[in-house]
C-alpha cells in the first residue's frame, strides 16, 4: 500500500507518525523548505529568527501532553509560564523544533508542490 500525506505541519506529521508506528511507510510531501506549517520559524540575516503562527501549545489531552514531554526530553520543547500561572509549551529554540522532532525517521519530501 502506498500512502502520501500532503503537508508537514503538526496534523500531517502526526498522521504519518501513527502510520509509521503501524509499520506502514507513508511519504510526507510539503512545499516548504522545512516542516512546520503553523509551527514555522523564519530566519533572517545576522542570526535573527522569529516564529509565526502558533506562539505556544496548550495540550488538553494526555496523549498530546505525553508527546510534548518526550519532545522536552529530546530538547525540542520546554514549558513556559504565562501570567496567572498557566503553563504552556514552546519549541526550543523555535516552534518548528516540535515538528522536526515529530518528523524524525519519517520519509519527508520538502520543496514539493502537489497540484
Amino acid at each position: 500500500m502506498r500512502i502520501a500525506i500532503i503537508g508537514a505541519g503538526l496534523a500531517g506529521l502526526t498522521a504519518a507518525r501513527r502510520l509509521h508506528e503501524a509499520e506502514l511507510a507513508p511519504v510526507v510531501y510539503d512545499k516548504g523548505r522545512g516542516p512546520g506549517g503553523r509551527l514555522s520559524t523564519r530566519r533572517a540575516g545576522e542570526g535573527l529568527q522569529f516564529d509565526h503562527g502558533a506562539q505556544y501549545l496548550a495540550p488538553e489531552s494526555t496523549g498530546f501532553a505525553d508527546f510534548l514531554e518526550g519532545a522536552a526530553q529530546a530538547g525540542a520543547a520546554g514549558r513556559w509560564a504565562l501570567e496567572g500561572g498557566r503553563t504552556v509549551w514552546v519549541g526550543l529554540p523555535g516552534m518548528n523544533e516540535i515538528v522536526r522532532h515529530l518528523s524524525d525517521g519519517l520519509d519527508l519530501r520538502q520543496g514539493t508542490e502537489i497540484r
Side-chain angles (χ1 to χ4, degrees), residues 15-107:
R17 173 66 49 206
R18 294 279 177 108
L19 291 165
H20 180 77
E21 290 169 356
E23 299 184 10
L24 298 169
V27 177
V28 181
Y29 295 93
D30 194 273
K31 67 180 179 179
R33 291 182 295 164
R38 295 290 177 183
L39 295 179
S40 292
T41 302
R42 297 281 186 224
R43 287 166 182 76
E46 299 182 26
L48 175 66
Q49 75 176 34
F50 59 94
D51 295 321
H52 67 97
Q55 297 174 322
Y56 58 81
L57 298 171
E60 294 184 9
S61 72
T62 303
F64 192 33
D66 290 346
F67 162 72
L68 290 170
E69 279 289 345
Q73 290 174 8
R79 288 185 175 89
W80 182 26
L82 298 177
E83 286 185 29
R86 181 175 178 211
T87 301
V88 295
W89 291 87
V90 295
L92 297 175
M95 289 301 284
N96 68 335
E97 287 303 317
I98 293 171
V99 288
R100 286 185 187 282
H101 171 71
L102 185 58
S103 70
D104 190 40
L106 297 176
D107 187 351

